[in-house]
Amino acid sequence: MSDLYLSRIRNWFLSSPPAEWAINRLRSTLVGALAQGPIPGHVAFEMDGNRRYARSHKIETIEGHSLGFEALARVLEVCYRCGVKVVTVYAFSLENFHRPKYEVDGLMQLAKVKLEQIIQHGELLDRYGASVRVLGRLDLIPPDVLEVVERAMAATAHNTECVLNICFPYTSREEMTTAIRSTVEEYSTTPRPPSTTFSQSRITQKILSKQAVSPDMLESIRESPLPPSSDDHDQDDAVSTATTLHSSDSTTALKNGCDAGEEEANSADDSDDNKNTASPRIYPNPETITPETIERHMYTAGCPPLDIFVRTSGVERLSDFMLWQCHQNTHIFFLKCFWPEFDLWHFLPVLVEWQWRQKQKVRDSERARRRLKQE
């Protein structure tokens, strides 16, 4: 009973106008100080612990999820004020469909309400130029919720400074499966354009078509022997332009062209048959598939690499979230607080540690460079 009484006194004091003013000033000062250092380009949050928070505070489960959305709004403002460009949150897993129906329906309706609030009062996103992207199996979302999702994305599409990725409903394995399927479809249905080649007879015939040649001259050219080549001709050819032909070269070209014309005339029927036959389709080489090829088909295509991964509630696993996006330079933080409790005071140590690691990496690189110069 005493703990409850002290908690109410603390909440009353923190909600008083003087305390709120002092806390806001302190928050602004801290965020401004953080913005002076290196800033992560992409931060992901696995918002875990809403149900356990609700049970520990003797409130309904849906109320715990609602408080989780309020925590998200607080964290988004901190991230965008610091300069983070992309924030990705895990809002609903495909595995959550196995939960009780009333909870799933409640989560869907809660998402609908919060997205409608974004549409009606999107000052936070518009202030920082953030657009909303909903990633996942949108075909599994109820029609009434999907309609609000599409309106929310359209309402913020004009914002280009920052991005809020809401994974809903989503699993990383499903994302990778979709990306691989799209890559296979691209490489099996999009043939690359075949190279265009021209035969020597076609080139000769083109030259003949551009010159005024009489039938008698063609006959004399065909019957006359080819003139012997000489060094003088070779020297003349070397200094001639690409569009100038000597008389002997012209005669040779015309004669060859006439002979080629006869050969093409004899094979006219075969050419007509070949016209009706489609040329073989040349598909891209599968050996050219790289991680970047798969990346272009991921839900997060175009986003910067993931710098920070944060999961609350003390659980230390990724739970099928951002498995592809996590790389050798991703810093993963597992925090013990529940997500509805998460705010600047929990996120501040994460940012400070990440900035320290970045500065340490720069110092190590400079030391290695100096050692190489000394050697």
Side-chain angles (χ1 to χ4, degrees):
M1 186 68 179
S2 60
D3 292 339
L4 180 60
Y5 182 72
L6 292 175
S7 176
R8 289 180 177 177
I9 292 178
R10 182 176 62 87
N11 293 335
W12 172 82
F13 174 75
L14 294 178
S15 61
S16 63
E20 286 186 350
W21 178 85
I23 292 174
N24 290 334
R25 290 299 300 270
L26 180 59
R27 290 168 64 94
S28 299
T29 303
L30 291 174
V31 170
L34 290 172
Q36 302 307 311
I39 299 299
H42 189 177
V43 179
F45 295 101
E46 189 159 355
M47 306 181 295
D48 192 21
N50 293 337
R51 293 194 298 172
R52 278 170 284 172
Y53 178 85
R55 285 196 297 266
S56 64
H57 287 75
K58 305 296 188 296
I59 60 177
E60 293 292 333
T61 301
I62 296 302
E63 182 64 21
H65 290 299
S66 180
L67 294 174
F69 273 95
E70 295 180 7
L72 174 60
R74 295 194 301 267
V75 173
L76 285 179
E77 185 168 11
V78 173
C79 290
Y80 293 146
R81 288 181 64 181
C82 287
V84 178
K85 293 300 182 182
V86 179
V87 176
T88 302
V89 297
Y90 201 2
F92 192 89
S93 170
L94 287 172
E95 302 299 327
N96 289 348
F97 282 112
H98 299 299
R99 292 184 178 182
K101 186 177 183 303
Y102 76 89
E103 184 177 350
V104 173
D105 294 342
L107 285 172
M108 290 294 175
Q109 293 304 313
L110 180 61
K112 179 180 178 181
V113 171
K114 296 302 179 181
L115 289 173
E116 286 178 341
Q117 291 178 359
I118 290 177
I119 297 173
Q120 298 173 1
H121 310 286
E123 295 86 0
L124 175 62
L125 297 178
D126 289 338
R127 186 189 314 156
Y128 298 104
S131 61
V132 174
R133 295 171 54 190
V134 180
L135 314 179
R137 291 286 304 276
L138 302 186
D139 57 301
L140 300 179
I141 301 178
D144 59 325
V145 181
L146 180 60
E147 188 268 335
V148 178
V149 166
E150 293 174 345
R151 284 199 291 123
M153 290 191 292
T156 59
H158 62 280
N159 295 329
T160 57
E161 295 296 325
C162 305
V163 175
L164 170 60
N165 291 324
I166 303 176
C167 296
F168 176 86
Y170 167 96
T171 61
S172 190
R173 288 177 296 173
E174 190 278 330
E175 179 187 18
M176 289 187 284
T177 302
T178 301
I180 293 173
R181 186 185 301 115
S182 299
T183 303
V184 172
E185 291 177 356
E186 175 188 350
Y187 272 69
S188 60
T189 61
T190 309
R192 67 173 184 263
S195 58
T196 304
T197 58
F198 299 95
S199 63
Q200 185 64 33
S201 60
R202 177 87 44 194
I203 296 174
T204 305
Q205 192 176 35
K206 190 69 175 176
I207 295 174
L208 293 174
S209 66
K210 297 216 178 266
Q211 302 186 27
V213 182
S214 63
D216 296 337
M217 185 176 179
L218 291 177
E219 187 64 28
S220 63
I221 291 172
R222 185 181 292 106
E223 293 176 356
S224 63
L226 293 175
S229 60
S230 63
D231 295 338
D232 295 339
H233 283 299
D234 293 339
Q235 294 176 359
D236 291 341
D237 291 343
V239 298
S240 63
T241 62
T243 56
T244 304
L245 293 175
H246 294 287
S247 59
S248 61
D249 296 334
S250 177
T251 303
T252 303
L254 291 173
K255 182 176 181 180
N256 292 338
C258 293
D259 295 338
E262 291 178 357
E263 293 177 1
E264 290 189 4
N266 293 332
S267 60
D269 295 337
D270 295 339
S271 300
D272 292 339
D273 294 339
N274 292 335
K275 289 180 181 179
N276 296 327
T277 304
S279 59
R281 298 166 67 89
I282 305 176
Y283 295 95
N285 184 3
E287 296 296 330
T288 62
I289 297 178
T290 62
E292 290 72 21
T293 307
I294 306 297
E295 177 69 29
R296 292 199 303 268
H297 296 277
M298 301 296 287
Y299 292 150
T300 56
C303 296
L306 182 61
D307 295 312
I308 297 177
F309 181 104
V310 177
R311 177 168 185 169
T312 56
S313 81
V315 178
E316 298 184 359
R317 61 175 183 267
L318 302 185
S319 296
D320 213 355
F321 178 51
M322 305 293 281
L323 301 183
W324 175 273
Q325 290 78 5
C326 287
H327 54 89
Q328 68 274 13
N329 294 321
T330 301
H331 297 270
I332 300 177
F333 298 88
F334 297 108
L335 307 182
K336 293 185 177 181
C337 67
F338 296 129
W339 177 251
E341 301 170 332
F342 191 79
D343 59 7
L344 172 64
W345 313 113
H346 297 90
F347 192 42
L348 179 63
V350 171
L351 283 178
V352 170
E353 183 175 347
W354 182 85
Q355 291 182 339
W356 179 84
R357 291 180 183 178
Q358 298 304 306
K359 294 178 181 179
Q360 185 66 33
K361 185 186 301 183
V362 173
R363 286 193 294 266
D364 293 343
S365 300
E366 291 177 352
R367 292 195 193 101
R369 192 180 302 109
R370 283 196 296 267
R371 284 197 298 267
L372 289 176
K373 288 183 179 180
Q374 292 174 359
E375 294 174 357

